[in-house]
Amino acid sequence: MRSLSSAKVFAPATVANVGSAFDVLGFALDSPGDTVEAVRSASPGVRIVDVRGDHGVLSHDPARNTAGVSVQALLAHLSATQPQLSTPGIDLVIEKGLPIGSGLGSSSASTVAAVVAANELLGSPLSRADLLPFAMEGERVACGSAHADNVAPSLLGGFVLIRSYTPLDVVSLPAPRSVWVSVVTPHLELRTQDARKVLKRTVSLESAISQWGNVAALVAGIYRNDVALMGRALEDRIIEPERAQLIPGFAEVKAAALEAGANGCSISGSGPSLFALSASRDAAKAIGAAMQAAFSGLSLVSTVHTSQVNPEGAKVIGRA
Ligand code: HSE
């Protein structure tokens, strides 16, 4: 088979945590997302040759860029474990479709698109699931914590549950087709690193009981395609109350979503985006508009996306 000279991959935005399931659950959206092209190069190593759509914010140093770090880790692993591959140099062109620090898994989407593109370029020596630890390395660079609840759904699609981090044990769940999502992103940046610093290190037994009941119900709702149960199960007594204070208008926007008929509403990832669940496209659009109006009422400009749960995750969109 002829070797590829380039591969281009789209990786979707994700909603991590999904209310009650902090750090252990996430799902992929259809759009927006980031695109990365990996191009074979005669010079060894990884280079970030271009980053578009980031307003000049992201580093072009591969050791400080989430996509660069992940592809470097992937190449080092392949050189050590599959020396017959004779890994080439790789140039990366990153096209940001996601705002940075938005709660939509922006760094994860670039990282996932980059590792999937590099793997495709090399003839797919690793499976999708095997790419996860390399994508998680990018997350460590982005915010100091190698959580997988954004990278795993962006990579694999659907809902993904992280049962354990050590050892890594990731469970793919279905993408319930009756669920629609409204995601509203105020034009503010909230760094995940900062949104993690506000969290208390201990929880009460009472809160823990409520939380594991809700996480279990959320998973049951996913399997039953039951948006009402999923909506109830977003209830988060541990993380949301701490982070709500970092998001201007949180209470008003959540109230607007519920008033407009949402089955549930919470923070997307570490915020400042909020997401709401409902049972139809029309409902999702009306709920998104109500949430946006609530932000506007507080003089905050925002962007709305409506989507179903994306069942396939990152997608190869070009090969040459
Ligand atoms: N689980 C992570 C958090 C997702 O909430 O901090 C953000 O990337």
Side-chain angles (χ1 to χ4, degrees), residues 16-17 22-23 147 149-150 192 196 243 269-270:
N17 301 330
F22 177 68
D23 271 1
H147 53 267
D149 49 341
N150 288 116
T192 295
R196 293 181 81 85
R243 284 183 168 170
S270 57

Side-chain angles (χ1 to χ4, degrees), residues 38 45 47 55 61 92 107 117 132 146 162 166 171 178 188 190-191 210 257 285 295:
R47 276 158 306 280
H55 306 291
D61 175 354
L92 298 174
S107 57
L132 182 57
I162 297 96
T166 44
V171 184
S178 65
L188 305 167
L190 176 52
R191 287 158 43 102
S210 155
K285 289 213 175 296
F295 270 128

Side-chain angles (χ1 to χ4, degrees), residues 135-202:
M136 287 171 68
E137 278 313 303
E139 212 62 330
R140 195 190 304 281
V141 171
C143 66
S145 151
H147 53 267
D149 49 341
N150 288 116
V151 279
S154 188
L155 183 65
L156 304 171
F159 273 85
V160 182
L161 172 71
I162 297 96
R163 188 205 63 83
S164 158
Y165 277 91
T166 44
L168 190 60
D169 185 359
V170 168
V171 184
S172 277
L173 309 180
R177 297 315 282 165
S178 65
V179 174
W180 280 82
V181 191
S182 320
V183 187
V184 184
T185 305
H187 295 187
L188 305 167
E189 186 178 339
L190 176 52
R191 287 158 43 102
T192 295
Q193 215 162 1
D194 297 333
R196 293 181 81 85
K197 277 191 199 135
V198 301
L199 302 177
K200 294 197 187 97
R201 310 310 297 174
T202 56

Side-chain angles (χ1 to χ4, degrees), residues 24-143:
V24 300
L25 195 65
F27 65 85
L29 299 173
D30 287 331
S31 68
D34 288 356
T35 302
V36 175
E37 184 170 24
V39 181
R40 191 177 286 269
S41 163
S43 332
V46 177
R47 276 158 306 280
I48 312 284
V49 293
D50 199 6
V51 186
R52 300 172 195 149
D54 69 326
H55 306 291
V57 170
L58 295 180
S59 175
H60 287 222
D61 175 354
R64 289 154 48 93
N65 177 294
T66 61
V69 167
S70 297
V71 175
Q72 280 179 333
L74 173 64
L75 292 189
H77 170 83
L78 290 173
S79 304
T81 56
Q82 304 192 31
Q84 75 285 1
L85 260 181
S86 66
T87 48
I90 295 185
D91 291 350
L92 298 174
V93 177
I94 301 171
E95 212 163 316
K96 296 295 298 174
L98 295 176
I100 294 158
S102 58
L104 296 174
S106 174
S107 57
S108 303
S110 296
T111 304
V112 166
V115 290
V116 174
N119 191 51
E120 182 74 17
L121 184 69
L122 301 175
S124 301
L126 297 188
S127 71
R128 276 291 168 99
D130 288 341
L131 292 175
L132 182 57
F134 306 104
M136 287 171 68
E137 278 313 303
E139 212 62 330
R140 195 190 304 281
V141 171
C143 66

Side-chain angles (χ1 to χ4, degrees), residues 1-10 35-40 116-124 128 312 314-320:
M1 198 178 75
R2 181 182 74 88
S3 306
L4 293 178
S5 58
S6 70
K8 196 171 187 176
V9 171
F10 169 83
T35 302
V36 175
E37 184 170 24
V39 181
R40 191 177 286 269
V116 174
N119 191 51
E120 182 74 17
L121 184 69
L122 301 175
S124 301
R128 276 291 168 99
E312 64 178 343
K315 193 172 174 170
V316 179
I317 55 170
R319 289 182 190 87

